[in-house]
Amino acid sequence: MAPGFQDLQLTRVSGGDVGDFEDARLLDSYEDNSEAALEEGMERVQVRVTGMTCAACSTSIEGALRSLNGVLRASVALLQNKADVIFDPNLVKDDDIKNAIEDAGFEAEILIEPNSFKTKNNGTLVGQFTIGGMTCAACVNSVEGILRSLPGVKRAVVALATSLCEVEYDPTIINKDDIITAIEDAGFEASFVQSSQQDKIILGVAGVYSEMDVHFLEGIISELKGVRQFRFDQTSKELEILFDPEVVKPRSLVDGIQGGSGGSFRLHVTSPYTRMTSKDVAETSNMLRLFTSSLYLSIPVFLIRVVCPQIPLVYSLLRWQCGPFFMGDWLKWALVSIVQFVIGKRFYVAAGRALRNGSTNMDVLVALGTSASYFYSVFALLYGAITGSRSLPTYFETSSMLITFVLLGKYLESLAKGKTSDAIKKLVELAPATALLLVKDKDGRCIKEREIDALLIQPGDTLKVLPGSKVPADGVVIWGSSYINESMVTGESVPILKEVNSLVIGGTINQHGALHIAATRVGSDAVLSQIISLVETAQMSKAPIQKFADFIASIFVPAVVALSLVTFFGWYTAGALGAYPEDWLREKGNYFVFSLMFSISVVVIACPCALGLATPTAVMVATGVGANNGVLIKGGDALERAQKVKYVILDKTGTLTQGKASVTDVKVFNGMDRGAFLKLVASAEASSEHPMARAIMDYARHFHFFDETPVEGSKDQNDPNSGWLSEASEFNALPGRGVQCFINGKQVLVGNRKLLIENGIEIPSHVENCVIELEDSAKTGILVACDRELIGVIGVADPLKREAAVVVEGLVKMGVKPVMVTGDNWRTARAVAREVGILEVMAEVMPAGKAEAVKSFQKDGSTVAMVGDGINDSPALAAADVGMAIGAGTDIAIEAADYVLMRNNLEDVITAIDLSRKTFSRIRWNYVFAMTYNIVAIPIAAGVFFPWLRLMLPPWVAGACMASSSVSVVCSSLLLRRYRKPRLTTILEITVE
């Protein structure tokens, strides 16, 4: 049951004021400006890091970056192989960051995002070039040095792996041709790719089958105006065109080529995400190739050791003396050497990097374990050849099988990591491939429709959306009505009715009627692109709990190596002293080999990778699951804070209520005609952007003309000279009070009690009783005065959301205390709180006071979440431990919030908290598993239980256990993909008959 009204607690916040009318929704006017999140003067760069294998590597890189003077923050994401760095460009440059990572023993590449090219505020341009002929880091340094010495070049970054170069330059001092010439003079090949002016396009061409077709295509392009340069690759069927954007646009180029060919050629724009995903696919394929190669070479070694001795004929061939060794020994040595030094080269290289940097990682353990087994076996062979004694057994199969199992684990881990990024892949797949463009004549009449590539859509285009097809771009409906399924973007399962002037989101599905839309935002400005960017950023972040794993990983490998040495010398000393029976040595030959096997098993069974993967894999899956459910999470730190939330502060207007105010009561006290009264009030409110002002405008217009409520933004609604309204002069909006202006020379006041009292207008008792009656009914009473006389009252109500009361009760059941904050008066606030069942209310709070309200609950160390949707909520969202912006279906770039709830539905608040709790429960289980594995496995490998249970793990079995441990942690995190939103009936313990 909802709490009783007598238990209601009202709280006043310092700095509060009466009568705040609740400002307009944040998402209606909030501009996307991701750079605003950075401190003033700071820059941000992302770097692809190659060679990381565990948390110790990422910790090492973070330490190297943070030691640079000028680096403000540095975060390394192990799973994405990326480093995210915020730095002062006056103290440190991109190349300094790159060099620091390379000095730490890893490969680094400054990432150039496909949609990141922008014109800098200081008038410089950013250009991208391809460079041929680079073979090593020395080439990179040479090119970078040449470019930075050029006058007008502000910044130059060269990526060896991609043969790409990004240059920021002043076009008034140097142009791109000068940059190309400078690179070529240094002995390298160079070509221009694209710049912030977007004057190059790469197209896939279908229909070219012969040299004659190629010449035909080149002839068509040569005749097009604005084309500066082009190149067609017959192998990839890709056409690169350099053009003048002031003369021709990309779509005109495509139209010109297809039209000139008479339809023989079909062109499409290459996807910007193809190249980004190709590297991850290549890494997985490479790991599979290494694993299969190692497996094919290890199987014969294993058969020679285990199976062949049981087959007399084969065994006799293997025992054939060939020089100093048996034929079987030659075969094993040759096969394992390939596995050890060719296939396993990557472990030596990575281990060498780590050791040069003074750190250790998983590769050090693998290299130590396999090398010990391999070189001992070589020693045993040589010892037998020299002495003629075959007393020392060889363990070549241990080395090869160990590498095989480690590579298997890496491959499976790579596959599992790929599953964690499925959310981004699904979002990318939502983007439509084509669109129907409506071509209009000069009079604006549609004369035909044609299909175009969706990447060629331009703002202002009129597009036709057929039933069952995807909406091709963000835009506004200009004709037709239909229901749109937005579940794939917002998580809203119920189709939304879209009519004229309704906003639509690219990638959503039109279900029924045909629509005509005007494209408004395309490319990186589109909602879908912003969601992808936000999810990627979230998956790059680190949760504070991961610091524990990073610390353990930093000391893990040295501790394991030390324990391995202790194990070896402990067993060796015991053997030398004759402390264990001879039957223990029956298979091992002597106590040196016996001790060595225990020592190697300790080295290879220990797994810091599982600890390093426990948090990031869970965070990646959770952010993806959240995005699929319309809850966008901005990072692991937000997840960690949300699962500890004790108070949820809910803004009233637009959060608990629908945010759609409507006039319910109109009372005139001075005998004025009702129509004249409404015309007067509407004339005063015509220039206001407040939701209540819009409600009064709609009501007055409907009263006068008996037609439908006008669409927001129409001329009749906002233009005071639209015919039926009187002209208002000296208009002034007073936050927290109302508006004042002059109409026909008379002062008009529309607002609350405070506005009238400040202007010396007395409120009679019968008017006060009328306002109190409205407020007790959860309505807002708006007073109207003209020429210093109170002439009427208007009652405005904002209905509660249907789920508000149930969600509030659900939060209480989850152990979270809901609090309502509003700028409205006490009576209205009390009435609303009574309806939804909230016990604690903060009323008459000015916008700036909402942040103070949040801080008042944080004083005892409690974790506080703030849920709001208005511009006036931004300070409170930023002040809260967890800020949740609700109703963000049309704009997701809200820097003040930690969570963006795409739907305008309070149930997502419960989903956000529940998902956070389940994610951290999974993270804790991951840590328990990783720690338990090492705590149990290492003693077994060290032979602690051998004297009683005769339990001994061969090194290759220990390697298989190590490989499976990290895979198990990733698979554990993948269980979060089965997450389903909590049912309110379950939370409230309601039984449905």
Side-chain angles (χ1 to χ4, degrees), residues 241 307 317 366 409 657 681 687 853 990:
I241 302 179
V307 178
L317 292 175
V366 175
T657 66
V681 179
S687 298
I990 298 174

Side-chain angles (χ1 to χ4, degrees), residues 598 601-602 605 935-946 951-953:
F598 281 124
S601 294
V602 169
I605 203 170
I935 291 173
V936 173
I938 291 177
I940 293 176
V944 171
F945 303 105
F946 183 81
L951 180 60
M952 182 178 186
L953 291 181

Side-chain angles (χ1 to χ4, degrees), residues 539-797:
Q539 294 183 346
M540 279 282 294
S541 66
K542 277 189 176 182
I545 194 175
Q546 194 169 340
K547 294 179 181 178
F548 166 73
D550 293 343
F551 170 74
I552 296 296
S554 65
I555 63 173
F556 187 89
V557 176
V560 169
V561 173
L563 181 60
S564 174
L565 294 175
V566 170
T567 300
F568 173 79
F569 286 111
W571 281 106
Y572 184 83
T573 302
L577 296 176
Y580 45 80
E582 287 295 326
D583 64 311
W584 290 9
L585 305 178
R586 190 169 300 147
E587 295 182 2
K588 302 303 176 185
N590 58 54
Y591 50 81
F592 174 84
V593 178
F594 189 74
S595 304
L596 182 62
M597 290 300 101
F598 281 124
S599 178
I600 294 175
S601 294
V602 169
V603 169
V604 298
I605 203 170
C607 185
C609 296
L611 284 170
L613 294 170
T615 297
T617 51
V619 170
M620 283 188 70
V621 177
T623 52
V625 168
N628 290 336
N629 286 279
V631 177
L632 301 183
I633 307 164
K634 290 196 174 181
D637 52 344
L639 275 167
E640 184 163 351
R641 293 193 301 270
Q643 53 101 22
K644 298 184 292 185
V645 165
K646 183 178 179 180
Y647 293 97
V648 171
I649 298 179
L650 300 158
D651 182 43
K652 181 179 77 71
T653 301
T655 302
L656 285 171
T657 66
Q658 296 177 13
K660 298 177 181 179
S662 60
V663 174
T664 59
D665 301 85
V666 176
K667 295 187 178 181
V668 185
F669 300 117
N670 67 342
M672 179 184 291
D673 177 72
R674 186 183 182 92
F677 173 76
L678 289 174
K679 178 179 178 180
L680 178 71
V681 179
S683 299
E685 293 281 22
S687 298
S688 175
E689 294 296 329
H690 198 281
M692 292 188 180
R694 293 197 294 269
I696 293 173
M697 284 290 300
D698 291 344
Y699 184 86
R701 187 180 191 281
H702 183 75
F703 180 87
H704 278 274
F705 301 105
F706 298 102
D707 61 1
E708 296 296 329
T709 301
V711 296
E712 187 175 322
S714 66
K715 180 179 179 182
D716 284 347
Q717 183 184 9
N718 293 317
D719 187 357
N721 299 314
S722 56
W724 66 283
L725 297 177
S726 301
E727 182 176 358
S729 61
E730 300 182 35
F731 174 85
N732 189 15
L734 304 171
R737 293 167 178 80
V739 300
Q740 67 178 17
C741 63
F742 285 86
I743 298 176
N744 298 327
K746 297 179 181 180
Q747 185 188 45
V748 177
L749 303 174
V750 182
N752 55 25
R753 296 180 182 88
K754 189 168 186 177
L755 176 65
L756 270 64
I757 293 172
E758 287 178 349
N759 285 272
I761 299 175
E762 184 180 352
I763 303 175
S765 59
H766 69 283
V767 176
E768 177 68 21
N769 291 335
C770 178
V771 174
I772 290 174
E773 183 180 349
L774 291 172
E775 291 171 347
D776 285 339
S777 301
K779 301 174 183 177
T780 299
I782 299 176
L783 301 169
V784 182
C786 179
D787 199 21
R788 307 190 62 79
E789 178 188 1
L790 199 158
I791 62 173
V793 173
I794 297 177
V796 178

Side-chain angles (χ1 to χ4, degrees), residues 414-491:
S414 179
L415 286 178
K417 288 178 183 178
K419 292 292 184 182
T420 63
S421 60
D422 277 353
I424 292 180
K425 295 177 183 176
K426 290 179 180 178
L427 288 170
V428 172
E429 291 171 357
L430 289 178
T434 60
L436 284 176
L437 175 67
L438 297 180
V439 182
K440 298 182 178 181
D441 59 17
K442 61 181 180 180
D443 296 324
R445 292 174 299 185
C446 179
I447 56 176
K448 67 175 181 178
E449 62 183 60
R450 50 171 294 222
E451 188 177 72
I452 63 170
D453 194 307
L455 295 175
L456 295 174
I457 296 173
Q458 300 169 357
D461 282 347
T462 301
L463 307 169
K464 183 176 182 179
V465 187
L466 297 174
S469 64
K470 292 181 179 179
V471 176
D474 293 0
V476 59
V477 178
I478 59 176
W479 177 87
S481 65
S482 179
Y483 282 89
I484 301 289
N485 181 1
E486 297 182 345
S487 61
M488 64 290 298
V489 176
T490 67

